[in-house]
Amino acid sequence: MKRIVHFALAASAAAAVLSGCSASEVVNTGGDTKCKDFLSQDDKKQNDEVSKMLKDKSGTDPTNMEITATKASVTLYCQTLGKEDTKISEAPHG
């Protein structure tokens, strides 16, 4: 039985590696998310990343307005001045 569990875990790990998932797709990295990853995410994931970044900075949950404004700022920054490996926390925001 243990052998089956170990095999299943190994297969799952190999599948994750082979699927090309970046760290920010699996884990909410907040402000450490790189622009290239942020721009490829869906709206919900972008909101989650921005929300975590703001909460890590202030210690409190951000409002929807803060998330929306910061997400717009980060998106614009990443599309213009930011490089692929620039962290979203480097974008000017609140």
Side-chain angles (χ1 to χ4, degrees), residues 7 23 29-30 36 38 45-46 50-51 54 60 63 67 74 77:
F7 177 76
T29 55
K36 67 180 175 186
F38 182 79
K45 183 65 174 158
Q46 287 179 344
V50 168
S51 179
L54 293 172
T60 60
T63 65
I67 294 169
V74 167
Y77 180 78

Side-chain angles (χ1 to χ4, degrees), residues 28-67:
N28 187 345
T29 55
D32 290 336
T33 303
K34 303 214 187 262
C35 279
K36 67 180 175 186
D37 295 326
F38 182 79
L39 293 175
S40 68
Q41 295 170 340
D42 63 26
D43 279 345
K44 183 185 180 324
K45 183 65 174 158
Q46 287 179 344
N47 287 341
D48 291 346
E49 300 286 6
V50 168
S51 179
K52 181 177 183 329
M53 176 179 72
L54 293 172
K55 184 172 183 173
D56 288 348
K57 183 178 177 185
S58 70
T60 60
D61 288 325
T63 65
N64 286 336
M65 185 180 287
E66 289 173 309
I67 294 169

